[in-house]
Amino acid sequence: ADELQGDRVGMTAGGNIVADTIEAGTGAADSGDLADRQSIDLVSTGGSVTVNTAQAFGAGHDIDIRAANALTANSLNAGGTLVGRAGDAIAIGAATAGEDVALRSNGSTITVTGATTAGDDVLLTAAGAIATGSVTASGTGPDTRTVTFGAGALDAAYAAETNPGADIVVNSTGASTTANGAVTAASDVTVTAATSVTHLATTTATAGNVTVNSGTSTQLVGDVTSGVNTTVTAGTTAALQQNVTAGGNYTVTGGTGVTLGDAQARTQAAGGAVTLTATSGDVAKGAGRLTVVSNSDLAGTEALTITATNANIVLATSQLTGGSIAGRESDVVLSASGAITADDLDGDRV
């Protein structure tokens, strides 16, 4: 099809669906049930769906695309929620929704080369690798429902919101996740990958938690900011290369090593406890001066604890502080099976 316009636009085919421009959503809002037809509702039960642009205008007007094989689009824009589910790869230029953006590739990859922008949640799950540009969950949209994916390849439903706030949840069950742009949520950012996690720009959970779990390495290149806790767990190496600001606790665990900072002067601070652990391998730093602070809000006595269980702590040209340099309100504890190298340490007990 070339250009399709209407109050609702729906197509169901056993083979491929190919369309250039689709515009819908001029009438009443959708029912709020994914079992019903949405403003734009495309279903290929045996093929792929390819769309240049699709837009559902206005709040409550949703886009739902189901493809047995691949889903490909240049731009998808829903005034309500955008749901895409495919048995094979999902490839989108830009994905935008006034409420949720929810994409699932049951057997392959998700690639969004441009921006993924939601008024509420961004939910991305794939068996293969997930690669994005910038990802934003702004918190400007409704927060009454979410999207849940079922056991079947194309199963999905709306459900009542159980985790209030605008969250980003990214999960690659069999491969890696890579964000080439800023990852920013009004509430929580949760990223899980069977292999590696790489964020090449900033990671921000304004009023919530940053939680990253990787089967192999984690590399967070830009600043990491959380209103509550920042927790990074990597099966191999964990690297947080710039500044970290956590309103609560800051915890990093690397299976084969932890690296903090880069060639510039960096500060990594938490209002609560700081716990940095390398199960094997060193806890080390970049070439620039590194400052690590626990209890930065001076509201308690949470400690700064650094452990290299089977190797060394290598933190020359560093400032390790429990609380403030002047007050030394919290303990600074360093433990290693090998050598410990540090520069300035200020704490209640060191």
Side-chain angles (χ1 to χ4, degrees):
D2 187 9
E3 184 172 340
L4 300 171
Q5 296 179 336
D7 178 23
R8 300 185 188 280
V9 174
M11 288 189 286
T12 300
N16 297 330
I17 294 175
V18 180
D20 184 18
T21 302
I22 302 175
E23 295 180 349
T26 57
D30 296 344
S31 68
D33 185 347
L34 276 176
D36 298 334
R37 278 199 180 274
Q38 310 308 305
S39 291
I40 297 176
D41 201 286
L42 309 178
V43 184
S44 171
T45 59
S48 298
V49 174
T50 303
V51 178
N52 181 22
T53 63
Q55 183 165 8
F57 296 95
H61 292 277
D62 303 334
I63 296 175
D64 185 18
I65 302 176
R66 286 152 284 169
N69 296 329
L71 190 170
T72 304
N74 182 42
S75 174
L76 300 176
N77 189 333
T81 290
L82 165 60
V83 182
R85 9 183 181 150
D88 205 340
I90 295 176
I92 299 173
T96 306
E99 197 167 345
D100 298 332
V101 173
L103 303 175
R104 178 191 185 187
S105 170
N106 194 59
S108 189
T109 60
I110 294 175
T111 304
V112 184
T113 54
T116 302
T117 307
D120 191 27
D121 300 332
V122 175
L123 311 170
L124 308 178
T125 181
I130 298 175
T132 66
S134 63
V135 182
T136 304
S138 67
T140 59
D143 190 33
T144 58
R145 68 182 184 184
T146 188
V147 178
T148 60
F149 294 109
L154 303 182
D155 291 347
Y158 290 131
E161 182 65 77
T162 58
N163 184 31
D167 306 313
I168 295 172
V169 180
V170 180
N171 183 16
S172 171
T173 60
S176 63
T177 70
T178 302
N180 294 292
V183 177
T184 307
S187 295
D188 296 333
V189 173
T190 304
V191 181
T192 305
T195 58
S196 63
V197 172
T198 304
H199 287 189
L200 297 177
T202 58
T203 303
T204 304
T206 303
N209 302 289
V210 171
T211 305
V212 178
N213 291 282
S214 64
T216 59
S217 64
T218 290
Q219 181 187 25
L220 305 183
V221 174
D223 290 351
V224 179
T225 305
S226 62
V228 191
N229 301 322
T230 291
T231 305
V232 175
T233 305
T236 58
T237 57
L240 287 87
Q241 295 181 218
Q242 295 190 17
N243 303 301
V244 175
T245 304
N249 300 327
Y250 171 38
T251 304
V252 180
T253 303
T256 60
V258 172
T259 302
L260 309 173
D262 57 11
Q264 306 299 316
R266 302 295 182 187
T267 297
Q268 302 191 353
V274 174
T275 307
L276 310 171
T277 305
T279 306
S280 65
D282 296 339
V283 177
K285 57 180 285 296
R289 183 167 179 81
L290 175 70
T291 299
V292 183
V293 184
S294 69
N295 186 25
S296 62
D297 59 8
L298 306 182
T301 58
E302 300 93 339
L304 165 54
T305 304
I306 302 176
T307 304
T309 305
N310 291 293
N312 309 302
I313 295 173
V314 188
L315 297 176
T317 320
S318 63
Q319 170 68 55
L320 308 178
T321 306
S324 65
I325 293 175
R328 299 177 178 176
E329 292 83 1
S330 301
D331 294 347
V332 175
V333 181
L334 278 61
S335 176
S337 64
I340 297 177
T341 304
D343 193 0
D344 297 323
L345 289 80
D346 287 279
D348 182 24
R349 292 176 294 179
V350 178

